[in-house]
């Protein structure tokens, strides 16, 4: 049975499952990863799982089968299975905004299997299908050159203007699926209100062959609206002889706000709608994925959706102990709430996944960066860790030093594809070797005895060895997960993103927080609007502290 969101309170440190895990942690804290691997030759088999085209190895975490069963007890105590079902059937689990959370419906097969999903009297599957058809038609028209610019030129450049979920998803996916992209089309992404961002793109494109996709769920976001207006002005100034009516060939919108789109001057026929039950950071599956569909074509876009759906089906149906998103989430809970890790580093060993860490930053930190539970009570335990990272092998030559020998223990998620999308000999083996070597090094470390023996074999004196020994010793026992896929394709990428979405969901349920609102972003937005007025109009020093007033004064003098 699904649960109603209202009966969810925060996870309390005195919950029986939490206490059992604390005791277990205290009793096993001396266990090292080296010991665990030496004691059990089957460890890799026991602590790995395959689902929806992905393979997860979580053996390099300081946990045992006892740890996992206590974590499953915690998941059961927190009603993860019931809450999971509540999400899939469209209960309004986003209680602070009274919204259902149905990104899974965006990738459900058509025609729908089973009973229709009806939210507020609307058939969700039918709505999704209708918009997908609109996306299919439009992308086909642009890609086949039947949609052209105002003076008959085919579209060569697509500029997605959006921010947050209206940027990070399509940007990350377009980069990841670069080998699948249409040869004629160049994709650009503008998000920052800093004019350098838009300026850099406008300086590369020809207005006559450029299509702007204005992507904003609300169509009120300051950054996106300012960039959209500047792009519109630029177009009218730079497209020879273009009239206002020509804008229709070059500006389309993706939004839930029809009135806002009309007010901007985009014909609602050129608007691709979506719905308030799609969170911004979950919207790449909705029409916010328009830029993706333009880049890779609608057929491959449906493969991307199907990959996510395969992970949805696995997540919804697999028992907790055989459920990849649940396991990934619980391992994260173990690291965060019992082993005390404050951050999680994401290391994709695939250059095309370069934007994946920033995408996950929004997905995880905007979703679970909360200090109050669904029932309004303050949480009493740590919630979302800081998410950060970069592609391997680049990160190895920047911050991996800290991961190996720093004072904090930071778990790492390694992500790699076994097969490359290029044909350059030798690179893929070198890349994977580095990926596996890093996780092995984090796990094993290098003991003082090993370091001493190595230096002795190189003929160093005992005095030199004593001086260098502490610096060259690696503590090891540093946890990591490794996620493998056969190849980075639309389907495997869809599955990977859905894996993390569901991981975030499970962790939110365990912590008892609402993963689907983002009130924390509001305060800065409101203050920025006031300060912008003061920078270009009258200052109001009585509204601010001396630091903010000082900064405003310096900027006013320069602007
Ligand atoms: O940063 C807050 C936020 O509301 C995100 O959740 C969202 O993805 C982003 O702003 C952009 O919002 P919109 O799509 O409405 O422009």
């Amino acid at each position: 049975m699904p649960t109603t969101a209202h009966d969810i309170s925060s996870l309390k440190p005195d919950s029986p499952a939490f206490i059992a895990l604390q005791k277990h942690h205290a009793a096993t804290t001396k266990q090292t990863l080296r010991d665990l691997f030496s004691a059990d030759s089957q460890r890799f088999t026991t602590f790995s799982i395959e689902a929806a085209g992905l393979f997860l190895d979580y053996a390099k975490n300081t946990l045992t089968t006892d740890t996992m069963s206590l974590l499953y007890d915690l998941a059961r105590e927190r009603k993860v299975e019931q809450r999971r079902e509540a999400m899939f059937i469209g209960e309004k689990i986003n209680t602070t905004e009274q919204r259902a959370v149905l990104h899974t419906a965006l990738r459900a097969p058509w025609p729908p299997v089973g009973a229709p999903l009806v939210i507020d009297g609307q058939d969700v599957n039918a709505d999704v299908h209708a918009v997908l058809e609109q996306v299919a038609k439009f992308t086909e028209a642009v890609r086949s050159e039947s949609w052209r610019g105002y003076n008959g030129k085919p579209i060569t450049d697509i500029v997605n203007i959006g921010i947050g979920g209206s940027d990070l998803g399509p940007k990350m996916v377009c980069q990841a699926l670069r080998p699948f992209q249409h040869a004629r089309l160049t994709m650009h992404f503008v998000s920052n209100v800093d004019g350098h961002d838009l300026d850099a793109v406008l300086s590369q494109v020809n207005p006559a062959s450029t299509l702007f996709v204005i992507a904003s769920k609300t169509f009120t976001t300051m950054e996106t609206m300012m960039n959209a207006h500047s792009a519109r002005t630029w177009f009218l100034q730079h497209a020879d002889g273009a009239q206002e009516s020509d804008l229709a060939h070059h500006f389309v919108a993706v939004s839930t706000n029809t009135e806002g789109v009309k007010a901007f001057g985009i014909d609602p026929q050129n608007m691709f709608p979506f719905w308030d039950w799609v969170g911004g950071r979950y919207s790449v599956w909705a029409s916010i994925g328009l830029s993706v569909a333009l880049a890779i074509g609608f057929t491959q876009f449906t493969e991307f959706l199907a990959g996510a759906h395969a992970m949805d089906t696995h997540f919804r149906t697999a028992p907790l102990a055989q459920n990849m998103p649940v396991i990934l989430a619980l391992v994260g809970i173990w690291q965060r709430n019992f082993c005390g890790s404050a951050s999680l580093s994401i290391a994709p060993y695939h250059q095309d996944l370069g934007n994946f860490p920033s995408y996950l930053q929004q997905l995880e930190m905007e979703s679970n960066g909360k200090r109050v539970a669904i029932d309004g009570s303050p949480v009493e335990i740590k919630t979302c860790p800081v998410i950060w990272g970069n592609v391997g092998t680049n990160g190895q030559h920047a911050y991996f030093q800290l991961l190996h020998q720093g004072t904090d223990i930071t778990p790492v998620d390694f992500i790699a594809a076994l097969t490359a999308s290029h044909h350059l000999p030798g690179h893929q083996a070198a890349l994977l070797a580095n990926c596996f070597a890093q996780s092995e090094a984090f796990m094993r470390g290098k003991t003082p005895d090993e370091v001493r023996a190595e230096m002795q074999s190189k003929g160093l004196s005992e005095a030199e060895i004593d001086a260098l020994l502490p610096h060259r010793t690696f503590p090891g026992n540093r946890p990591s997960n490794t996620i493998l896929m056969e190849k980075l394709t639309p389907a495997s990428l869809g599955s990977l993103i859905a894996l993390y979405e569901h991981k975030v969901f499970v962790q939110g349920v365990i912590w008892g927080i609402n993963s689907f609102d983002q009130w924390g972003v509001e305060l800065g937005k409101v203050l920025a609007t006031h300060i912008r007025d003061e920078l270009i109009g009258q200052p109001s020093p009585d509204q601010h502290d001396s630091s903010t007033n000082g900064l405003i004064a310096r900027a006013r003098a320069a602007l």
Side-chain angles (χ1 to χ4, degrees):
M1 276 291 286
T3 59
T4 62
H6 308 280
D7 59 8
I8 307 296
S9 59
S10 63
L11 170 59
K12 298 277 188 289
D14 62 357
S15 101
F18 195 85
I19 290 176
L21 275 156
Q22 271 180 325
K23 284 191 183 149
H24 171 72
H25 181 258
T28 56
T29 194
K30 294 227 161 61
Q31 264 173 356
T32 67
L33 280 168
R34 272 197 189 215
D35 297 341
L36 291 170
F37 274 98
S38 324
D40 177 8
S41 61
Q42 294 305 303
R43 190 168 169 81
F44 173 69
T45 312
T46 310
F47 298 106
S48 59
I49 176 171
E50 194 145 22
L54 300 181
F55 178 82
L56 167 66
D57 165 22
Y58 58 105
K60 292 192 182 93
N61 285 281
T62 40
L63 45 77
T64 61
T65 46
D66 288 345
T67 320
M68 290 311 296
S69 56
L70 291 170
L71 285 165
Y72 298 131
D73 289 346
L74 177 67
R76 275 185 284 270
E77 184 184 281
R78 300 299 300 161
K79 301 193 171 72
V80 164
E81 287 146 303
Q82 294 90 328
R83 296 277 287 150
R84 173 181 66 184
E85 198 51 21
M87 175 176 73
F88 275 98
I89 65 172
E91 273 191 22
K92 295 195 173 170
I93 60 169
N94 175 358
T95 46
T96 59
E97 297 177 306
Q98 271 308 302
R99 290 176 182 167
V101 173
L102 276 173
H103 44 279
T104 50
L106 298 166
R107 53 237 190 175
W110 182 264
V113 185
L117 189 54
V118 178
I119 302 295
D120 297 332
Q122 280 296 113
D123 180 341
V124 164
N125 301 113
D127 286 352
V128 169
H129 183 63
V131 175
L132 280 176
E133 289 216 313
Q134 190 194 356
V135 169
K137 262 198 199 151
F138 179 70
T139 53
E140 174 53 24
V142 172
R143 289 165 62 90
S144 67
E145 304 187 9
S146 69
W147 178 288
R148 289 174 175 245
Y150 76 105
N151 63 4
K153 282 199 167 41
I155 299 299
T156 57
D157 291 84
I158 291 165
V159 182
N160 188 95
I161 296 182
I163 196 164
S166 302
D167 167 71
L168 291 164
K171 183 165 69 183
M172 181 275 285
V173 174
C174 283
Q175 187 196 23
L177 300 180
R178 184 187 51 81
F180 299 84
Q181 195 178 307
H182 194 295
R184 195 186 72 246
L185 298 174
T186 306
M187 309 303 296
H188 309 267
F189 291 86
V190 173
S191 52
N192 200 338
V193 75
D194 179 347
H196 297 104
D197 195 7
L198 180 62
D199 186 54
V201 170
L202 296 183
S203 66
Q204 293 170 39
V205 297
N206 174 355
S209 58
T210 299
L211 176 73
F212 291 93
V213 176
I214 314 301
S216 174
K217 179 174 171 181
T218 54
F219 231 70
T220 56
T221 304
M222 190 258 258
E223 292 91 333
T224 302
M225 289 301 103
M226 185 167 257
N227 280 323
H229 281 285
S230 298
R232 189 179 189 278
T233 307
W234 172 87
F235 176 82
L236 291 171
Q237 284 169 355
H238 291 80
D240 264 355
Q243 311 292 312
E244 291 260 336
S245 57
D246 295 323
L247 288 167
H249 298 263
H250 295 273
F251 284 78
V252 298
V254 179
S255 188
T256 57
N257 176 0
T258 314
E259 291 314 309
V261 169
K262 275 200 235 164
F264 179 81
I266 293 177
D267 184 340
Q269 282 206 324
N270 293 337
M271 165 178 164
F272 299 82
F274 62 112
W275 309 272
D276 67 6
W277 44 261
V278 184
R281 51 195 174 273
Y282 300 86
S283 61
V284 69
W285 319 101
S287 42
I288 290 288
L290 182 67
S291 294
V292 176
L294 284 162
I296 66 171
F298 189 72
T299 305
Q300 295 187 111
F301 186 68
T302 58
E303 289 168 15
F304 172 62
L305 299 181
H309 178 68
M311 184 55 78
D312 293 342
T313 306
H314 164 74
F315 174 56
R316 189 174 185 177
T317 56
L320 296 180
Q322 288 145 40
N323 194 309
M324 191 184 283
V326 171
I327 290 171
L328 190 62
L330 292 175
V331 171
I333 295 279
W334 176 244
Q335 293 163 343
R336 178 74 175 126
N337 295 122
F338 302 95
C339 307
S341 315
S343 83
L344 169 66
S345 187
I346 307 296
Y349 275 63
H350 198 306
Q351 190 66 21
D352 293 339
L353 284 174
N355 286 320
F356 196 64
S358 4
Y359 174 80
L360 279 191
Q361 276 183 330
Q362 188 198 18
L363 179 63
E364 299 224 11
M365 293 164 77
E366 197 166 84
S367 298
N368 284 343
K370 311 279 165 68
R371 49 172 285 285
V372 168
I374 288 183
D375 66 1
S377 62
V379 296
E380 292 170 45
I381 48 148
K382 302 285 184 195
T383 60
C384 190
V386 173
I387 306 291
W388 60 285
N390 197 358
V391 286
T393 58
N394 297 1
Q396 290 175 209
H397 298 274
Y399 53 78
F400 269 45
Q401 163 62 38
L402 178 147
L403 300 182
H404 283 289
Q405 291 186 312
T407 48
D408 289 298
I409 295 193
T410 303
V412 182
D413 279 2
F414 292 94
I415 303 169
L418 295 174
T419 316
S421 309
H422 62 76
H423 300 290
L424 298 169
H427 286 257
Q428 188 64 5
L431 177 76
L432 292 177
N434 271 280
C435 177
F436 303 159
Q438 288 299 324
S439 71
E440 185 173 34
F442 285 137
M443 183 276 280
R444 288 182 61 80
K446 207 171 187 185
T447 64
D449 288 348
E450 287 168 344
V451 176
R452 181 175 293 281
E454 190 183 282
M455 288 196 283
Q456 280 168 342
S457 73
K458 287 188 178 146
L460 272 74
S461 71
E462 283 308 307
E464 284 172 317
I465 291 174
D466 286 343
L468 282 173
L469 195 71
H471 301 281
R472 298 184 68 161
T473 298
F474 288 68
N477 209 30
R478 299 192 170 210
S480 66
N481 295 310
T482 300
I483 297 168
L484 298 178
M485 65 194 87
E486 191 52 43
K487 191 172 179 178
L488 187 56
T489 62
S492 61
L493 180 66
S495 182
L496 179 71
I497 301 170
L499 166 65
Y500 276 95
E501 286 177 347
H502 296 319
K503 169 209 160 176
V504 165
F505 171 80
V506 171
Q507 292 191 334
V509 170
I510 288 183
W511 290 322
I513 56 182
N514 180 0
S515 302
F516 300 102
D517 60 11
Q518 56 285 319
W519 299 105
V521 190
E522 292 305 314
L523 176 62
K525 277 193 199 172
V526 173
L527 290 180
T529 308
H530 291 316
I531 293 178
R532 183 176 59 160
D533 292 346
E534 292 178 60
L535 289 177
I536 54 183
Q538 272 309 307
S540 316
D542 50 327
Q543 305 282 314
H544 306 287
D545 56 90
S546 65
S547 161
T548 310
N549 278 330
L551 297 171
I552 290 174
R554 288 183 84 94
R556 276 176 61 86
L559 281 170

